[in-house]
């Protein structure tokens, strides 16, 4: 038995076979190193390992980067999933500052993990949320709010000094 992390880390059948022969017992959390070298706190990417690999190459970051995942065997809540993800992150980096990035559900989990870290007195240096829904709001309301704020930030009041219309 192997982990998804091993499949991404060892891209050839021979390398994966050797890694599986040397594997310790499996754990429920896995970190996939996307960039092991670098200075400073690691960036932890949640959900979508295959999406982060090319992004990390393009960004040319100066710090270590790990993609993390937790195998889910049934229904779970964001709070429970984020606690499981956080356990894996803290196994790699016990103290902050932390850098988190999440795509889609990973963005929601990154936000919740940041909340848990702040509540524990830790520092979250960077929180990047990509293409995620706003927790507690329906999609239409969230998008209206985002569009309204973008409009204000980009345009300010119109030529007559009136605020832009709400949508």
């Amino acid at each position: 038995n192997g982990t998804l992390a091993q499949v991404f880390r060892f891209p050839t059948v021979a390398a994966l076979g050797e890694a599986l022969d040397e594997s310790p017992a499996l754990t429920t959390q896995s970190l996939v190193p996307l960039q092991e070298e670098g200075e400073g706190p690691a960036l932890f990417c949640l959900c979508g390992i295959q999406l982060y690999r090319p992004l990390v190459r393009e960004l040319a970051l100066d710090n270590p980067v790990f993609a993390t995942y937790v195998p889910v065997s049934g229904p779970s809540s964001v709070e429970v999933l984020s606690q499981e993800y956080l356990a894996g992150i803290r196994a790699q980096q016990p103290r902050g500052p932390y850098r988190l990035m999440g795509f889609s559900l990973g963005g929601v989990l990154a936000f919740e993990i940041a909340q848990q870290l702040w509540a524990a007195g830790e520092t979250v240096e960077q929180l990047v949320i990509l293409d995620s829904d706003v927790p507690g709001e329906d999609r239409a309301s969230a998008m209206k709010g985002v569009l309204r704020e973008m409009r204000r930030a980009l345009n300010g009041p119109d030529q007559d000094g009136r605020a832009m219309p709400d949508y």
Side-chain angles (χ1 to χ4, degrees), residues 85-158:
Y85 274 89
L86 183 53
I89 291 169
R90 282 195 148 164
Q92 176 67 35
Q93 182 180 316
R95 305 289 308 161
Y98 290 95
R99 296 176 176 172
L100 305 169
M101 178 166 43
F103 175 80
S104 192
L105 173 62
V108 176
L109 292 171
F111 179 80
E112 178 60 28
I113 290 168
Q115 298 299 312
Q116 292 177 21
L117 287 167
W118 285 321
E122 291 288 351
T123 300
V124 177
E125 183 176 271
Q126 189 173 50
L127 174 60
V128 179
I129 299 175
L130 305 168
D131 194 28
S132 299
D133 287 335
V134 177
E137 292 191 38
D138 66 73
R139 186 182 271 300
S141 295
M143 285 310 297
K144 287 178 186 176
V146 168
L147 290 172
R148 188 171 36 251
E149 292 305 315
M150 286 177 63
R151 211 170 239 268
R152 285 187 186 128
L154 295 173
N155 297 327
D158 66 14

